């Protein structure tokens, strides 16, 4: 089955303290064969890129209002008058707070939502077909 990839490279900021942040090159990636998830790769040009995967829904909602719990939390805010989306990521290796430009994230999310509209993710996986086969037996 063919699948489509929607990618966008952008510069995030790793927030070290309220006064200090450093740029982190990142790639947002969405694949129609994994329709519920978004993939974020940090330090894309380094020897050891860091990969995170979480629910697309979390990022879609996080652009508008705080959401998520546990390992991934996302919420909108303003920093120096700019609209940004903050992502708090926790893992056994440590925690990170990343800031992404809302306009760039939203534009990319819009492309993913055009590729696979919300509510149609199951069709991408062919689940309906599999269920029909199972129930027909």
């Amino acid at each position: 089955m063919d699948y489509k990839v929607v990618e966008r490279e952008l510069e995030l900021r790793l927030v070290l303290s309220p006064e200090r942040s450093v740029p982190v090159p990142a790639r947002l990636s969405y694949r129609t064969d994994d329709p519920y998830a978004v993939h974020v790769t940090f330090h894309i040009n380094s020897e050891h890129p860091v990969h995170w995967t979480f629910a697309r829904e979390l990022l879609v909602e996080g652009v508008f209002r705080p959401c998520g719990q546990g390992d991934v939390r996302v919420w909108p805010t303003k920093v120096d008058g700019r609209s940004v989306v903050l992502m708090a990521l926790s893992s056994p290796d440590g925690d990170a707070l990343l800031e992404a430009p809302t306009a760039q994230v939203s534009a990319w999310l819009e492309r993913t939502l055009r590729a696979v509209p919300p509510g149609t993710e199951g069709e991408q996986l062919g689940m309906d077909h599999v269920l029909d086969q199972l129930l027909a037996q």
Side-chain angles (χ1 to χ4, degrees):
M1 191 172 162
D2 288 340
Y3 66 90
K4 196 173 147 194
V5 178
V6 181
E7 286 189 326
R8 163 130 207 189
E9 292 196 5
L10 73 166
E11 188 175 276
L12 302 181
R13 299 201 66 80
L14 176 62
V15 180
L16 302 173
S17 74
E19 301 79 40
R20 198 160 158 254
S21 63
V22 294
V24 177
R27 179 185 301 116
L28 300 175
S29 181
Y30 177 79
R31 299 190 344 232
T32 56
D33 68 334
D34 188 5
Y36 291 102
V38 293
H39 305 271
V40 187
T41 305
F42 306 105
H43 303 294
I44 45 180
N45 302 321
S46 77
E47 207 175 307
H48 304 288
V50 178
H51 304 282
W52 274 80
T53 300
F54 52 88
R56 173 174 74 167
E57 203 177 298
L58 194 62
L59 198 51
V60 170
E61 192 177 328
V63 168
F64 299 103
R65 67 186 76 80
C67 67
Q69 53 194 10
D71 295 347
V72 180
R73 292 180 329 203
V74 184
W75 67 98
T77 191
K78 286 215 182 304
V79 174
D80 301 328
R82 294 176 298 117
S83 292
V84 297
V85 179
L86 289 174
M87 293 179 276
L89 308 176
S90 299
S91 78
D93 298 329
D95 300 336
L97 180 60
L98 291 141
E99 179 188 294
T102 302
Q104 291 179 24
V105 172
S106 295
W108 173 76
L109 277 172
E110 202 128 305
R111 288 171 48 213
T112 77
L113 295 168
R114 275 200 301 272
V116 179
T120 67
E121 294 93 346
E123 295 164 27
Q124 294 296 316
L125 297 173
M127 291 305 260
D128 295 342
H129 176 68
V130 171
L131 281 172
D132 290 344
Q133 296 291 342
L134 282 170
L135 297 173
Q137 292 174 3

